[in-house]
């Protein structure tokens, strides 16, 4: 009898515990209904926002691609003015793929005569465009090349500082440009210093190493 009674009591306690637990869960949802609803709504908004942004990015990338290709067509059809305007807009759009291509096209075809304007476009790529690190370094090097003939020593050193103070694959190119710059100015000691630095760069371009060694042996040996 006692065993039966104990079993019945255990069953009653279990039922009571389940009812209590269910009641607690129910009360929790009732008391926190607004918080739960706002949390669910926030999650839905985040998910929708993420997918909407992805759709926007895909559509925008297609739009900038079309704009770049249409500018090429305009240029080939002889409409240089419209091509130039469109290419500038592509640069100003700060697209990691087409903005650098557009600037290089403007430079290669000599479509913008004002050097300050070209430098402003370079700065948009360098400072305001989400480029991969070595792509940004390449843009910096190209800016230095563009300005090498007209810049003074301090200006060229300032442009190339992000490369010469880094471990970039473009460091040896930057050092070579500076070495040749000073050589052209007949500042041979400075030139020699930069050529010598190239030989100690771990990831230096092999062709640049060879050219630097030639310069040191042929033109700058003591």
């Amino acid at each position: 009898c006692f065993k039966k009674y104990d079993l019945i009591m255990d069953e009653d306690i279990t039922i009571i515990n389940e009812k209590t637990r269910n009641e607690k869960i129910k009360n929790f949802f009732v008391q926190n209904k607004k918080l739960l609803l706002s949390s669910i709504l926030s999650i839905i908004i985040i998910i929708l926002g993420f997918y909407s942004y992805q759709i926007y990015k895909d559509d925008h990338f297609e739009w900038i691609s079309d704009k770049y290709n249409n500018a090429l067509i305009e240029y080939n059809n002889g409409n240089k003015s419209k091509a130039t305007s469109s290419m500038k807009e592509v640069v100003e759009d700060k697209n990691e793929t087409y903005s650098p291509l557009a600037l290089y096209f403007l430079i290669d075809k000599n479509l913008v005569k004002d050097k300050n304007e070209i430098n402003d476009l370079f700065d948009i790529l360098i400072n305001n465009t989400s480029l991969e690190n070595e792509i940004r370094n390449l843009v910096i090097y190209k800016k230095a090349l563009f300005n090498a003939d007209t810049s003074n020593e301090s200006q060229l050193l300032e442009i190339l500082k992000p490369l010469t103070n880094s471990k970039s694959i473009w460091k040896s190119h930057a050092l070579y440009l500076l070495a040749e710059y000073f050589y052209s100015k007949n500042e041979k000691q400075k030139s020699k210093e930069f050529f010598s630095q190239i030989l100690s760069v771990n990831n230096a371009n092999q062709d640049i190493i060879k050219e630097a060694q030639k310069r040191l042996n042929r033109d700058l040996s003591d």
Side-chain angles (χ1 to χ4, degrees):
C1 286
F2 286 112
K3 285 186 179 179
K4 270 188 172 182
Y5 179 77
D6 287 342
L7 287 172
I8 291 170
M9 285 296 293
D10 286 344
E11 287 176 3
D12 288 344
I13 289 170
T14 301
I15 292 169
I16 291 169
N17 286 339
E18 285 181 2
K19 285 183 177 180
T20 303
R21 187 169 59 252
N22 291 340
E23 190 66 26
K24 284 182 178 179
I25 293 171
K26 180 181 176 182
N27 289 337
F28 173 80
F29 281 106
V30 170
Q31 292 169 8
N32 296 279
K33 181 170 65 175
K34 289 184 179 179
L35 177 62
L36 290 170
L37 286 174
S38 63
S39 297
I40 292 169
L41 185 61
S42 296
I43 292 169
I44 292 171
I45 290 171
I46 289 169
I47 292 171
L48 289 175
F50 172 78
Y51 282 109
S52 297
Y53 179 67
Q54 287 300 119
I55 292 169
Y56 164 79
K57 278 185 68 177
D58 292 342
D59 289 346
H60 188 75
F61 189 86
E62 186 176 347
W63 174 82
I64 203 70
S65 171
D66 289 342
K67 192 170 189 66
Y68 176 82
N69 289 317
N70 287 335
L72 293 179
I73 293 170
E74 293 290 349
Y75 178 83
N76 291 330
N77 289 339
N79 194 343
K80 292 184 179 182
S81 176
K82 190 168 183 181
T84 302
S85 176
S86 294
M87 286 297 185
K88 287 181 188 177
E89 290 177 14
V90 173
V91 177
E92 291 164 356
D93 189 73
K94 304 167 191 171
N95 178 271
E96 62 271 20
T97 300
Y98 287 100
S99 294
L101 292 175
L103 178 55
Y104 301 156
F105 185 85
L106 290 170
I107 295 170
D108 290 342
K109 303 301 181 182
N110 198 28
L111 294 176
V112 178
K113 308 300 181 185
D114 187 344
K115 292 198 75 167
N116 290 328
E117 186 176 4
I118 289 292
N119 280 319
D120 288 342
L121 294 174
F122 265 118
D123 289 339
I124 288 173
L125 294 183
I126 294 166
N127 300 320
N128 304 115
T129 305
S130 298
L131 301 174
E132 292 180 12
N133 192 46
E134 291 297 1
I135 299 297
R136 176 175 282 101
N137 289 335
L138 173 58
V139 175
I140 292 170
Y141 175 65
K142 284 182 175 287
K143 181 182 180 182
L145 279 176
F146 178 76
N147 287 279
D149 292 336
T150 56
S151 293
N152 60 39
E153 175 183 335
S154 61
Q155 288 170 331
L156 191 59
L157 286 168
E158 185 64 26
I159 292 172
L160 287 171
K161 187 189 293 184
L163 303 187
T164 55
N165 291 343
S166 74
K167 295 181 179 179
S168 170
I169 59 173
W170 299 103
K171 180 174 182 174
S172 59
H173 294 72
L175 293 172
Y176 189 84
L177 177 58
L178 288 168
E180 287 291 351
Y181 173 84
F182 286 115
Y183 187 82
S184 71
K185 302 290 184 184
N186 203 33
E187 297 186 48
K188 292 189 176 180
Q189 185 54 42
K190 287 184 178 180
S191 177
K192 184 177 181 179
E193 289 172 6
F194 283 108
F195 277 126
S196 298
Q197 285 184 50
I198 292 170
L199 304 183
S200 63
V201 175
N202 291 330
N203 58 348
N205 179 281
Q206 292 302 308
D207 290 333
I208 287 178
I209 290 176
K210 290 176 184 177
E211 291 302 316
Q213 192 67 68
K214 282 181 187 178
R215 274 289 197 197
L216 288 168
N217 294 337
R218 183 184 62 204
D219 304 315
L220 298 167
S221 59
D222 294 329

